[in-house]
Each structure stands twice: as C-alpha cells, then as structure tokens.
Amino acid sequence: MTENAAGAPTPYPAYPVGLRLAGRRVVVLGAGVVAQRRLPGLLASGADVLLISPSATPSVEAMADAGELRWERRRYREGDLADAWYALITTDDDEANAAASAEAEARRVWCVRSDDAEAATAWTPATGRSEGVTVAVLTGQDPKRSAAVRDAVVEGLRDGTLAAPHHRSRTSGVALVGGGPGDPDLITVRGRRLLAEADVVIADRLGPRDLLDELPPHVEVIDAAKIPYGRFMAQEAINNALIEHAKAGKAVVRLKGGDPFVFGRGMEEAEALAEAGVPCTVVPGISSSISVPAAAGIPVTHRGVAHEFTVVSGHVAPDDERSLVDWEALARLRGTLVLLMAVERIGAIAEALVAYGRGADTPVAVVQEGTTAAQRRVDATLATVAERVRVEGVRPPAVVVIGEVVAVGSRNPR
C-alpha cells in the first residue's frame, strides 16, 4: 500500500501485461453469464480451457458441444488448478470460490474472481480489438469507467478519428471502399479506418463527400469525375491512376458510392489492379438499392406484400440495343423493383412495364439524394411517374421503387 496526499492508504496499481495463453491450461470455474462473456476471449487466445461446473448457459454448452473447450459437469474440488497457468472463478458458491482462490495462491496461478476483486490476484480489463490492436483498460474498482474508456478508444481506432497508422506492417495497395448511400455515418467501420490511413483518395461524385474534409492535409484527393482523357477514357484513366499511385508505394483508397460491385465498376478496377500486380482489398458498402428506400420508410420486402426484390440498372432505355434487362420478365414479377440510374429514362421504363402487363396503378416512389439532408420523396404510379418527375424537377441521384411496398408504412399522397 502507498499513501495519498491526505495520508490515506491507496492500493498499488495493477501491473498491465498481455498473457500469451496459446496451448496453456486455463481453468474456468462456473459456467454462468460471466463465464459466457469471458470464454470467447480465452478461446480466441488459443488457451486450453477446462471448464468445471455442474451446469452451463446454453451458449457455454454450445461451446463445449462444438469441442472448443473441455467441460467437466461437477463442482470444484481441491487439485483442479494443478498445471493451470490462469484461473477464472465465477461460481455463486462462496466457500468453493474461497477454496479455489486459496489453491491458486498456493500454486502461484494468477486468479480472477468475479465475486471479490480484492481477493483476486488478477483483474480482467475492459478489452476491445480493432484490426490487430488490443485495447485493455483498468481503472481499479470502476469497471463502468474502464468500459467507457475502452469503447472510446476502440471506436476512435475503428472510425479513424483516433489516428494510429501502421508503421511496420503497412503495405502499399488499393482498397476499393464502398462509401454507402451518401450519409457519412453509413460508411462501414473498416472503410472509414482505411480512409483515415490513406495517402491518396480517388473519390466518386456519389461517395460520402463530407468524409473528405476530415482527411489530414497530406492526403492527396483526386476527383474521379475530373480525371482527364475524355469521357470514354474515364474508367481507363481511373484504373491507371490507381495503379500509378499504388506502385509509387502509396496506400490508395478508391472511394465509391454505395457498394463497389453494385453498378460501381468495382470488378473492372479489381481486374485491372490484379493484371498490374497491385494488391487490392474490397470493402463492401451499404447499397443505395436497399438503404435509400429504407431511409424513406419503404421496405423492399414485407410479409404478405413482397417476397422478392430485384435491382435493375436504368441507365439505358428498354428499347436500347445495349440493354441487358428482360423487361418483359420483370413486368411479370409480383415483387419489388428497385431502379438505379433511371430518373432520365423513367418514362420509357414505366411504359415498357405497363405494356408487358404490370398494372398502370402500381405504386412508385422516387427518392432523391437519399440518406442526406437534401433527401426528398416523390410518390406516383407507373401511369403518372414520368410527369411527376418532370413537374417536381427530380434529378439524379435518385432511387426508384416500384411495387406495393411503396404503400407500406408512412404513406404520402400520390
């Protein structure tokens, strides 16, 4: 014990250390909710876990059934901690806990007690992990504070607000990151972390632009919409830029709207990188095809209304020879149709669906700039959607939803 400024005794602080338990015996006494929370971490460390308890929660029992640990269905008895490196005591039997703790002390086994932290020789920190980093926080007898500090650090590492770039293991390459539908909060945790670690960001117009303001000054941001060489060379120019910067030893993020592989030409870029021998990571994103309707209160499926939804590109009209869409087959479907890049051709698309048998009174919703502060929803039917889009001045980006699900939930007049 030491003394504080007022002369009152204060406990010595715990000495932090990381235990390497792979292949080493760990004994866990009790199989209730405390053990259920602690066991996954012990198993992830590779520990040889012996569980001793007359009963267990269903989750712990499932771990035993799967062969992840050995379970002896009985109470603690003297000698159970022989050859153990670490012990976790979580039973509700005070006498057994005290006896096991005494055995641990005698055998010099570090021991955690869930019932009496002061009697333990080790404390379990509030632990979190993010991309190979383990964060462990101890605040003495204040576990809620430990958890709060842990959460703040882990969240900062995950979303990139806490800068901790790689140094030894960092390698150049390209990450194709799906930025989601537009709201910067809807990018994935991994995508945001990679963005924070980037040297170069090549961004689409439809990516979450607000995130670019958070990048450090040294990060080079390239607007993919303004890469030179002309409209029909744009994709080739983007591919070349990705390869050039990656081969220069830079960590490159290709920030795209929605998901890279949903009408995002992500595979074209991945193939070009593979051909050039550049490492590529694909980070999926939340597709606007489901997130934008949801943000507007429209479920793309709903029990008793729609058992299917189909996502279709509307960038070419149904009568265009380049179209790969079977509009006649789509018209026969009873589920939901979600159209992307279709605003400019919605009239021709609606006419084709009606001509092939879809009811002219089928509900339609057009959601412009979904998930952003500028989001707005325009409701219509297949018969009226072209005129409504014209009158309301709807412009891309917008998602078109066709089907009875439009009328589910919050309803707007058509």
Side-chain angles (χ1 to χ4, degrees), residues 96-120:
N97 292 348
S101 184
E103 181 184 352
E105 183 74 18
R107 294 183 182 275
R108 298 185 178 182
V109 176
W110 294 111
C111 173
V112 174
R113 286 184 61 169
S114 64
D115 64 330
D116 188 351
E118 285 299 326

Side-chain angles (χ1 to χ4, degrees), residues 249-268:
K250 304 294 182 64
V252 183
V253 166
R254 173 72 169 103
L255 183 62
K256 307 168 83 66
D259 181 274
F261 286 178
V262 179
F263 306 135
R265 294 192 171 182
M267 182 54 73
E268 295 178 40

Side-chain angles (χ1 to χ4, degrees), residues 47-58:
D48 175 18
V49 177
L50 171 62
L51 175 66
I52 298 173
S53 179
S55 59
T57 67

Side-chain angles (χ1 to χ4, degrees), residues 101-353:
S101 184
E103 181 184 352
E105 183 74 18
R107 294 183 182 275
R108 298 185 178 182
V109 176
W110 294 111
C111 173
V112 174
R113 286 184 61 169
S114 64
D115 64 330
D116 188 351
E118 285 299 326
T121 55
W123 292 336
T124 302
T127 306
R129 294 175 178 82
S130 176
E131 289 295 321
V133 176
T134 298
V135 176
V137 180
L138 286 171
T139 56
Q141 302 301 303
D142 194 349
K144 289 186 178 180
R145 186 184 181 203
S146 296
V149 174
R150 181 265 326 267
D151 291 344
V153 174
V154 171
E155 181 64 22
L157 290 172
R158 287 177 174 172
D159 65 20
T161 56
L162 180 60
H166 295 276
H167 292 283
R168 292 184 180 178
S169 61
R170 189 169 182 267
T171 57
S172 61
V174 175
L176 304 181
V177 175
D183 183 339
D185 286 343
L186 295 180
I187 190 173
T188 64
V189 169
R190 189 178 187 192
R192 190 156 189 167
R193 178 184 57 77
L194 288 172
L195 193 62
E197 296 178 357
D199 299 311
V200 179
V201 177
I202 299 179
D204 270 353
R205 178 177 64 89
L206 298 181
R209 295 169 294 176
D210 292 352
L211 293 178
L212 301 179
D213 290 338
E214 300 177 4
L215 297 175
H218 72 274
V219 178
E220 181 180 1
V221 177
I222 299 173
D223 185 351
K226 296 181 180 179
I227 287 182
Y229 310 124
R231 178 168 184 154
F232 295 103
M233 288 290 289
Q235 187 57 57
E236 183 178 344
I238 291 172
N239 295 349
N240 291 339
L242 292 171
I243 294 167
E244 176 185 343
H245 287 288
K247 286 194 170 183
K250 304 294 182 64
V252 183
V253 166
R254 173 72 169 103
L255 183 62
K256 307 168 83 66
D259 181 274
F261 286 178
V262 179
F263 306 135
R265 294 192 171 182
M267 182 54 73
E268 295 178 40
E269 293 169 357
E271 289 176 337
L273 292 167
E275 186 175 344
V278 174
C280 175
T281 299
V282 178
V283 181
I286 299 176
S287 172
S288 62
S289 62
I290 54 175
S291 57
V292 168
I298 303 170
V300 293
T301 64
H302 189 70
R303 185 172 59 175
V305 178
H307 293 175
E308 68 194 28
F309 70 96
T310 305
V311 183
V312 184
S313 171
H315 73 289
V316 294
D319 61 353
D320 192 307
E321 63 181 10
R322 297 171 297 165
S323 176
L324 302 177
V325 179
D326 188 340
W327 291 101
E328 184 175 359
L330 288 180
R332 292 196 299 268
L333 296 177
R334 299 178 60 186
T336 306
L337 297 182
V338 180
L339 309 180
L340 305 183
M341 302 176 288
V343 169
E344 296 175 354
R345 296 163 188 82
I346 188 58
I349 291 172
E351 288 179 5
L353 290 172

